Amino acid sequence: MIIALIQARMGSSRLPGKVLKPLGGKPAIDQVLARVKQVQKIEKIIVVTSIDSANLPLISHVTAHGDSIFVGSENDVLDRFWQATRLTNADHIVRITADCPLIDASVIDLVIQTHLDNNFDYTSNIDPPTWPDGLDVEIMKRSVLEYAWCNAKNERDREHVTLFIRENADCYRLGNVSSSVNLSDYRWTLDQEEDYRFLSEIFSRLNGHNICTTEQVLDLLDQFPELLSINSTIERNEGSALKEEPNE
């Protein structure tokens, strides 16, 4: 069984309430959910958030729309993921963050299939990053997540779900899925106000009620390259699993 855990919270210091900000006529979290639901190999999707009261609007929104949500530790995000996982029969866990409203089901499919075909312990498309920032996908075996939960001791490893796994690469079979063309200079993530303005333009121009593909976004940016200047001054964080705020 493969599940997807979508990491989300309201309390971003750089862009408060970002996961409920409207994009294409619906909250950003709904755009993420709609895209992940297109992945046939994923049997269950759970939004994972924290016990911070600021997340109550998110919890209410997700439950009102019939989607699953798990509420866990505020700062120990690794524990939050493991506690959500252990309530399921998952063999593999896909990690998506809610600041990726343009996440592409075909990219998720590619990472999952690569992971399964090669019997990797952990597979991503972020190390090294060759996809646009905002198409980040990670998948790991249940046993690997559990081992990290049991053995990661320092605060940094507990705050960032997969850091312990990636920094102990000699213990695992790690896989990475690279784009055929290096697209890592593109920034499609929702982290700052400039990102929100950029994404609002994308969704508006591509009819946000429809689920646009990576190719459609790239075609749009070829037609209107001036859109890239909206958030081009923001640097991408290396590796990308550290790009979100610690308890995102």
Side-chain angles (χ1 to χ4, degrees):
M1 178 181 183
I2 301 174
I3 66 169
L5 300 184
I6 300 176
Q7 191 171 324
R9 73 184 186 105
M10 293 289 287
S12 167
S13 63
R14 293 186 288 264
L15 191 61
K18 64 183 181 180
V19 297
L20 290 183
K21 282 187 172 293
L23 287 171
K26 61 179 69 173
I29 186 65
D30 289 2
Q31 295 288 3
V32 178
L33 282 163
R35 286 158 170 76
V36 178
K37 287 175 181 177
Q38 288 189 315
V39 182
Q40 294 186 353
K41 284 187 171 62
I42 291 176
E43 298 180 49
K44 186 175 182 61
I45 302 170
I46 306 172
V47 177
V48 289
T49 192
S50 82
I51 58 174
D52 190 324
S53 61
N55 293 317
L56 288 174
L58 171 64
I59 296 167
S60 296
H61 175 80
V62 172
T63 54
H65 286 76
D67 293 302
S68 299
I69 192 162
F70 176 85
V71 182
S73 172
E74 168 69 7
N75 295 312
D76 189 341
V77 190
L78 179 54
D79 181 70
R80 195 192 308 169
F81 263 64
W82 172 244
Q83 297 305 332
T85 298
R86 65 191 293 269
L87 297 176
T88 74
N89 294 320
D91 301 302
H92 304 273
I93 301 92
V94 176
R95 177 178 180 249
I96 304 290
T97 56
D99 54 6
C100 296
L102 288 175
I103 193 71
D104 191 325
S106 66
V107 177
I108 300 174
D109 272 324
L110 180 59
V111 175
I112 291 175
Q113 197 60 56
T114 301
H115 178 77
L116 297 176
D117 288 347
N118 294 278
N119 193 28
F120 288 136
D121 296 314
Y122 164 92
T123 310
S124 75
N125 65 346
I126 63 172
D127 192 14
T130 56
W131 299 85
D133 190 359
L135 293 189
D136 306 341
V137 182
E138 299 172 274
I139 180 171
M140 68 213 80
K141 291 180 179 178
R142 180 192 187 100
S143 58
V144 170
L145 179 62
E146 182 177 14
Y147 184 86
W149 176 76
C150 290
N151 292 280
K153 302 302 180 184
N154 68 59
E155 183 177 340
R156 187 165 172 262
D157 287 339
R158 307 299 300 192
E159 288 177 342
H160 300 284
V161 178
T162 61
L163 185 61
F164 179 86
I165 299 168
R166 291 182 296 112
E167 290 191 340
N168 289 275
D170 55 330
C171 299
Y172 305 109
R173 297 189 69 243
L174 305 186
N176 185 73
V177 178
S178 297
S179 170
S180 58
V181 178
N182 190 345
L183 304 171
S184 60
D185 286 342
Y186 289 101
R187 182 179 175 87
W188 300 354
T189 189
L190 178 60
D191 188 56
Q192 301 192 34
E193 184 61 40
E194 294 91 337
D195 297 326
Y196 181 57
R197 296 205 308 269
F198 170 78
L199 289 165
S200 295
E201 288 285 347
I202 298 298
F203 278 94
S204 175
R205 293 170 187 248
L206 289 178
N207 186 3
H209 293 289
N210 296 322
I211 297 178
C212 52
T213 65
T214 298
E215 289 72 22
Q216 288 174 311
V217 178
L218 291 171
D219 287 345
L220 178 70
L221 293 173
D222 282 342
Q223 295 176 54
F224 302 99
E226 65 274 13
L227 295 177
L228 294 169
S229 65
I230 297 174
N231 63 350
S232 62
T233 60
I234 306 172
E235 292 186 7
R236 178 173 188 152
N237 286 7
E238 183 180 359
S240 100
L242 293 180
K243 75 183 177 66
E244 73 276 0
E245 295 176 80
N247 53 357
E248 186 85 26

